[in-house]
Structures are given as structure tokens and as C-alpha cells.
Amino acid sequence: MSLVLQTPAASSEVARTHFLNKLSLETDVADVWNEIQNRVEGFYILDARSEKAYRDGHVPGALNLPHSLISAETTAALDPTKLMVVYCWGPNCNGAAKACAKLAALGFRVKEMLGGFEYWLKEGNPLEH
């Protein structure tokens, strides 16, 4: 019995819907770097790590707001019509997911940057200090 084939694959429409839903909540390092290089506006990049980690180096243009500090007060100056692209340390960290959940509860649209800071570094992208 095939482990791959024992569960039937979804229909193409179900698969399309699933992956579009997934893409509506995620982006990746390469796409964010492309947008930075092309000076695309309309979204914030939010670093959900600690202030010290942010000071040591972060994605260019990123704002720092540790996930534990997200509140209506700490986000009051941010434009709620802009998308929030959020990252934390990497795939082994759920800080970005925590931040996205809190931001969404405050009415912000959010996407998690897959791979986080770890994959930003692995892809050789520049840092801002």
C-alpha cells in the first residue's frame, strides 16, 4: 500500500482554495526582500523579537514591537489600513504567530514572514542596525 496514495488528494478547486488561504496569511523572505529593493509601500515590517535582538540587527525598515508588548496603546500610531508583515527568530519560534494573533485581534491585516530572521540571514540579505 502506498503511503502517498492511501489518502486521496483533494480536488484541484479544494487545493487551490487551501493554498490561496495559506498565501493570504504568509509571505517569505525572498518576496519581502524584493519589495524592499523595489521600494514597495503599503505594508509595515514588524520585528516581534526583543529590543536587544532588534538593536543587534534587523530587516531594513522593520519596526520593533516585541509580541509581549502589543496592545491598542503600542499600535495606536500605526496605520491600520497597512498590512503587517511580521517576523520573529525563525521556524522554531512562535513569536511571530503570537504577534499576528494579537495584531489581528486589534483589527490589523497580517502576514507572517516564513523563516523569520534566521532565513533572512541564511539568504544573505542585509541587516540594519
Side-chain angles (χ1 to χ4, degrees):
M1 163 83 52
S2 167
L3 296 176
V4 172
L5 300 174
Q6 76 183 25
T7 302
S11 70
S12 59
E13 187 55 34
V14 167
R16 178 181 171 278
T17 299
H18 167 80
F19 287 110
L20 287 174
N21 286 336
K22 184 176 176 176
L23 290 169
S24 73
L25 298 169
E26 301 171 347
T27 190
D28 66 18
V29 166
D31 289 347
V32 172
W33 177 230
N34 180 71
E35 303 295 75
I36 291 170
Q37 289 178 298
N38 289 302
R39 301 187 191 321
V40 173
E41 297 182 7
F43 66 94
Y44 293 110
I45 303 170
L46 187 102
D47 185 324
R49 301 174 304 145
S50 70
E51 186 179 331
K52 181 190 179 317
Y54 177 82
R55 278 193 319 267
D56 289 343
H58 55 271
V59 172
L63 305 172
N64 180 229
L65 185 54
H67 64 82
S68 62
L69 301 179
I70 294 173
S71 68
E73 294 76 27
T74 60
T75 59
L78 301 175
D79 180 351
T81 67
K82 286 188 172 185
L83 174 69
M84 294 279 205
V85 173
V86 183
Y87 71 91
C88 202
W89 283 106
N92 61 328
C93 172
N94 66 4
K98 290 176 181 178
C100 285
K102 288 180 179 182
L103 291 164
L106 293 170
F108 290 95
R109 294 175 305 118
V110 295
K111 284 191 177 190
E112 182 178 3
M113 185 176 80
L114 297 177
F117 190 69
E118 178 183 351
Y119 279 73
W120 186 265
L121 294 174
K122 281 185 177 186
E123 292 193 17
N125 295 322
L127 298 179
E128 191 171 80
H129 295 274

